[in-house]
Amino acid sequence: VSLALLAPLQATLATLSVLLLVLGINIGLFHVVHIVLPLASLLMMIALLFTFNMAYGFFAVTRERRQITGLFGQYVPPEVVDEMARDPEKASMEGESREMTVLFTDVRGFTTISEGLDSKALSEFMNAFLTPLTEVIYRNRGTIDKYMGDCIMAFWGAPLPDANHARHAVLAGMEMQRTMKAMQGEFRAKNWPLVRIGVGLNTGRMSVGNMGSRLRLAYTVMGDAVNLASRLEGITKEYGADIIVGEDTKNAAPGLVYREIDKVRVTGRDTAVTIFEPLGLEGEVAAATLDEVRLFHETLELYRKQEWDMAEQRLVMLGQMSPGVALYETFVERIAYLRANPPGSGWDGAFTFQSK
């Protein structure tokens, strides 16, 4: 067995064992038959073999680490690359199916914003918010999939397994919102437009690995769960929510306070999904906010039972508690429509979105 295949300590112990064995045989022969074997060349050969194998192992490991860094350095934070380099067998770019969490974020009204900036200012503007948002994803052990104009796609749970991928993703989404709000002063100072982002998250089984063509490959995720995350990001503006997560993400990321927002059908899916807005860590959300969440959940129950008058009264009460909240205004408008166009007794309470 080549010493290069062994760990450094194992290789050293193996070499010392061989040296002691050779010396022991020589001493034994001297005492039994009074023969002394020439040891210099043999000991020199053992030392050279040890040195050669250790040098080969060092360069092989260094090359492997460089390969891992080259493959994944553009996707994941440095500390994750270091973990992969220490245990390369955990890192693979081959396609596989995993339970993961994916995130999409997008700047609201970006078309209007881009039209008001020249090319140089637009480039500086995008770098100004994409860089800190990427740093947030990295801090929370996320993997950058790609930038699509003003949109970031990221995922958790690959290339290294992450048992807490959903929680890390939700925490990253909330930190991204805090980061953008903290940057508004800097944007004002540069006469840039204020920026709001929507974040959509979903958890589920998806395919991950190197995908593409013979000409170009990309390490990415695909699947129905990924498409749903994109749809959830798209409907954040419909409810005035900063972040919307699917029910699977909510269930996989306990320890946070969630407001149930609605039950929806999105484009490309026949099955309705319940959506939630994470508001903060348990124990850190104000009591007034918790009361408001409880009242809205009661309102949703009345809404789904088609008790329009009672639901509308609760929404008015909520609007007085928090004036101008788009979520409450959305349901007031929807109740007015459903009152005039009753959905029938078989209605499951889900709202169907016709566009992406």
Side-chain angles (χ1 to χ4, degrees), residues 126-136:
M126 291 185 64
N127 290 339
F129 72 81
L130 288 177
T131 298
L133 293 184
T134 299
E135 292 171 347
V136 169

Side-chain angles (χ1 to χ4, degrees), residues 103-110 113 125-126 129-130 132-134 136-137 150-152 172-184 187 194-200 232-237 240-244 277:
L103 173 150
F104 286 84
T105 183
D106 189 48
V107 174
R108 294 184 180 156
F110 182 74
I113 292 173
F125 170 76
M126 291 185 64
F129 72 81
L130 288 177
L133 293 184
T134 299
V136 169
I137 293 170
D150 60 310
C151 176
I152 301 176
M174 292 192 295
E175 187 179 347
M176 291 168 80
Q177 290 289 357
R178 293 194 299 270
T179 299
M180 289 306 302
K181 291 172 182 175
M183 293 180 65
Q184 300 307 321
F187 284 14
L194 301 185
V195 175
R196 287 194 64 194
I197 61 172
V199 177
L232 296 184
E233 184 282 316
I235 64 174
T236 54
K237 54 183 174 292
D242 290 336
I243 308 173
I244 288 182
E277 180 182 16

